[in-house]
Amino acid sequence: MAPALLLVPAALASFILAFGTGVEFVRFTSLRPLLGGISESGGPDARQGWLAALQDQSILVPLAWDLGLLLLFVGQHSLMATETVKSWMSRYFGVLQRSLYVACTALALQVYYHVLGLGEPLALKSPRALRLFSHLRHPVCVELLTVLWVVPTLGTDRLLLALFLTLYLGLAHGLDQQDLRYLRAQLQRKLHLLSRPQDGEAE
């Protein structure tokens, strides 16, 4: 009974996160900033703002590109997630079916970066950040360690696997003093930015 009760706050937190994400998505996709803050009354000014937006090529062209990128993302994810496509891919590619799905997702993201002119994402990072990434373990490693150790019993082979991978994750990669100095500088920079008064606030 107790473990089931622990799921209640987790489910509630998940619902709040999903609801908040939906609200933020609606706010993000609002055209009010694009139209220069049209009135909320829905009167003639609002209608004129929409009509002007629908006739402005500088607005329609970026929106068309955005819609195309969204359709690419939704189409790739939805089509390749259907049972028909998954069965076909499993028949011809076997265990590589999931890897092919991930590769197509990465390809769709590369199209997104190319359209926006962003290039390779990691190329935008500084050498110090890239050095940190090469030493930093991915957060999914915590999940892996949980799966390895949180089990009712540990057989000899499972214990050997858990010990070896735990040592590997803990010792093979680690932060050094240069990485820590970089992290400290980034933290100080963010704290400085957060402490600055926002536009419209009194000094």
Side-chain angles (χ1 to χ4, degrees):
M1 186 63 180
L5 291 177
L6 294 177
L7 294 177
V8 175
L12 182 60
S14 177
F15 170 77
I16 294 173
L17 177 62
F19 182 80
T21 302
V23 171
E24 177 62 18
F25 178 75
V26 172
R27 187 198 68 78
F28 174 76
T29 55
S30 171
L31 285 179
R32 288 188 65 234
L34 188 64
L35 302 179
I38 61 176
S39 63
E40 299 180 357
S41 61
D45 292 340
R47 287 194 294 272
Q48 290 299 323
W50 279 98
L51 291 175
L54 294 176
Q55 297 172 1
D56 189 345
Q57 291 295 319
S58 65
I59 293 178
L60 291 180
V61 173
L63 286 180
W65 277 109
D66 290 345
L67 179 61
L69 291 173
L70 286 172
L71 290 176
L72 174 65
F73 174 82
V74 171
Q76 182 266 322
H77 275 68
S78 300
L79 182 64
M80 296 190 71
T82 60
E83 290 300 326
T84 303
V85 174
K86 286 196 295 187
S87 299
W88 179 85
M89 292 176 61
S90 297
R91 184 165 60 251
Y92 287 97
F93 298 99
V95 295
L96 295 178
Q97 177 263 334
R98 185 64 184 178
S99 298
L100 184 60
Y101 175 85
V102 174
C104 290
T105 301
L107 181 61
L109 288 175
Q110 287 298 321
V111 172
Y112 170 79
Y113 278 104
H114 175 73
V115 169
L116 296 183
L118 297 178
E120 176 63 33
L122 288 179
L124 304 175
K125 302 296 183 181
S126 68
R128 296 176 68 190
L130 293 175
R131 185 181 188 280
L132 173 67
F133 293 158
S134 67
H135 295 171
L136 193 64
R137 277 301 186 183
H138 195 280
V140 77
C141 294
V142 177
E143 178 184 356
L144 175 61
L145 292 177
T146 303
V147 171
L148 289 173
W149 289 103
V150 183
V151 290
T153 58
L154 277 172
T156 306
D157 54 348
R158 179 63 177 255
L159 178 61
L160 177 63
L161 177 66
L163 285 172
F164 181 82
L165 290 182
T166 300
L167 289 173
Y168 172 69
L169 294 177
L171 300 178
H173 288 271
L175 305 182
D176 57 18
Q177 289 298 320
Q178 187 174 341
D179 293 321
L180 293 178
R181 285 194 297 270
Y182 172 75
L183 286 173
R184 188 178 298 112
Q186 292 299 310
L187 176 60
Q188 293 297 327
R189 178 172 174 270
K190 287 179 171 50
L191 291 176
H192 175 69
L193 290 175
L194 291 174
S195 64
R196 292 170 54 185
Q198 301 297 317
D199 294 339
E201 292 184 359
E203 291 291 343

